[in-house]
């Protein structure tokens, strides 16, 4: 099913359908700001495995996680490093991904990550509303391997078809700038990818941030 979230009625119906699909172990496509994401319940091993199969990802490819709030992140870790807390308070929701250690007790399987995970709170109202209802989701680009990343849910549907239960359309995304990635599981924290946020910008919040070789 596809829903046009640019209209209020379909948006409400679409998000409700997507929430039900995620909680039933199915895959959904939704806007995340600069791209369309293919998402699954982070705690549903079968759903995550199906997502990984579609993307042809092995266990060595860590599955990134999206959350709807910083409070959700707090529930996934034993201790959130101070640098991570300061960064997410400054730049979430937005194009910042952080790597932190997850609580050992979490019942999920997001790949071979040595106890860490990459997490972001996206800057898109549809994504935020969905994630606040579903809880943490594994989210990857909504394209098949080797295919062009879709700019709309309709384009994603042309690639993924019936493998996805619900498509949430919100029109073309913004400029495709990758998120900035900071590894906060390291000491000092390390910038792994300078995307939407530069090193100098991040250092205004975390001066000790270093750049990877």
């Amino acid at each position: 099913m596809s829903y046009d979230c640019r209209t209020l009625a379909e948006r409400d119906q679409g998000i409700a359908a997507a929430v039900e699909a995620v909680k039933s172990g199915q895959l959904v496509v939704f806007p995340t700001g600069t791209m369309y994401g293919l998402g699954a319940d982070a705690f549903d091993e079968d759903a995550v495995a199906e997502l990984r199969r579609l993307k042809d990802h092995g266990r060595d490819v860590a599955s990134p996680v999206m959350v709807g709030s910083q409070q959700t992140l707090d529930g996934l870790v034993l201790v959130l490093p101070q640098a991570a807390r300061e960064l997410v308070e400054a730049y979430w929701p937005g194009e910042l991904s952080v790597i932190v250690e997850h609580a050992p007790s979490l019942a999920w399987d997001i790949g071979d990550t040595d106890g860490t995970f990459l997490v972001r709170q996206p800057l898109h109202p549809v994504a935020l509303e969905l994630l606040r209802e579903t809880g943490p989701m594994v989210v990857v680009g909504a394209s098949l391997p080797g295919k062009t990343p879709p700019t709309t849910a309709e384009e994603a549907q042309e690639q993924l078809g019936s493998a996805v239960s619900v498509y949430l359309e919100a029109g073309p995304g913004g400029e495709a700038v990758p998120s900035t990635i900071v590894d906060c599981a390291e000491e000092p924290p390390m910038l792994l990818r300078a995307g939407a946020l530069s090193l100098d910008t991040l250092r205004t919040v975390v001066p000790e941030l270093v750049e990877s070789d």
Side-chain angles (χ1 to χ4, degrees), residues 36-59:
Y36 275 78
L38 170 66
D41 182 348
F43 294 100
D44 189 317
E45 291 186 15
D46 290 339
V48 173
E50 174 62 13
L51 182 149
R52 198 179 284 140
R53 186 193 67 78
L54 284 173
K55 296 292 290 185
D56 196 24
H57 285 173
R59 293 188 53 78

Side-chain angles (χ1 to χ4, degrees), residues 15-28 39-44 47 129-137 165-166:
I15 290 175
V19 169
E20 182 178 354
V22 170
K23 291 183 176 180
S24 299
Q26 301 169 54
L27 306 183
V28 299
D41 182 348
F43 294 100
D44 189 317
E129 191 171 345
L130 175 63
L131 288 161
R132 285 168 181 161
E133 291 292 329
T134 62
M137 293 178 65
S165 295
V166 175

Side-chain angles (χ1 to χ4, degrees), residues 95-120:
E95 296 302 315
L96 171 72
S97 298
V98 296
I99 296 173
V100 293
E101 293 184 4
H102 64 72
S105 60
L106 287 188
W108 67 8
D109 181 5
I110 58 172
D112 298 327
T113 64
D114 291 327
T116 66
F117 69 113
L118 183 146
V119 58
R120 179 165 77 91

Side-chain angles (χ1 to χ4, degrees), residues 2 25 34 37 47 50 52 67-68 74 81 83-84 87 90 121-122 127 144 150 156 161 171 175 185:
S2 179
T34 60
E50 174 62 13
R52 198 179 284 140
V67 295
D74 287 332
L87 287 169
Q121 182 188 13
L144 291 175
E175 184 180 356

